[in-house]
Amino acid sequence: MLLLLLILVLENGQRAEASFLGAHGTLPIGVALLLAAVFGILLVALPGTARIMQLRLRQRRTTRRPDAGPPPGPRSPR
């Protein structure tokens, strides 16, 4: 996989203008594509990891206290 990424960067050496959050510059297209992919992965992975950790913590809390009853949630109308 790393070899394919290296080939992508080396074959796409044409310069392109890039702007991000007020920063402007030029960089090779291959590098721009690689950076876009990395930022896209981080954009998905970080919130997903946080949610998984949140659910695991909730599960751990409910399994420690079996006598505590069901986990808190929406209550049914009486």
Side-chain angles (χ1 to χ4, degrees), residues 5-72:
L5 287 173
L6 180 63
I7 292 170
L8 173 82
V9 170
L10 291 175
E11 286 188 356
N12 292 293
Q14 300 89 351
R15 305 294 281 178
E17 290 185 26
S19 299
F20 184 69
L21 295 175
H24 304 284
T26 59
L27 65 156
I29 292 176
V31 174
L33 288 171
L34 186 61
L35 288 174
V38 168
F39 284 127
I41 289 169
L42 289 175
L43 187 67
V44 171
L46 291 177
T49 302
R51 180 64 177 154
I52 289 171
M53 298 290 283
Q54 183 183 35
L55 291 172
R56 284 184 181 174
L57 182 62
R58 179 187 289 177
Q59 181 66 31
R60 201 175 310 147
R61 285 180 181 165
T62 59
T63 56
R64 279 190 196 158
R65 298 178 297 159
D67 60 328

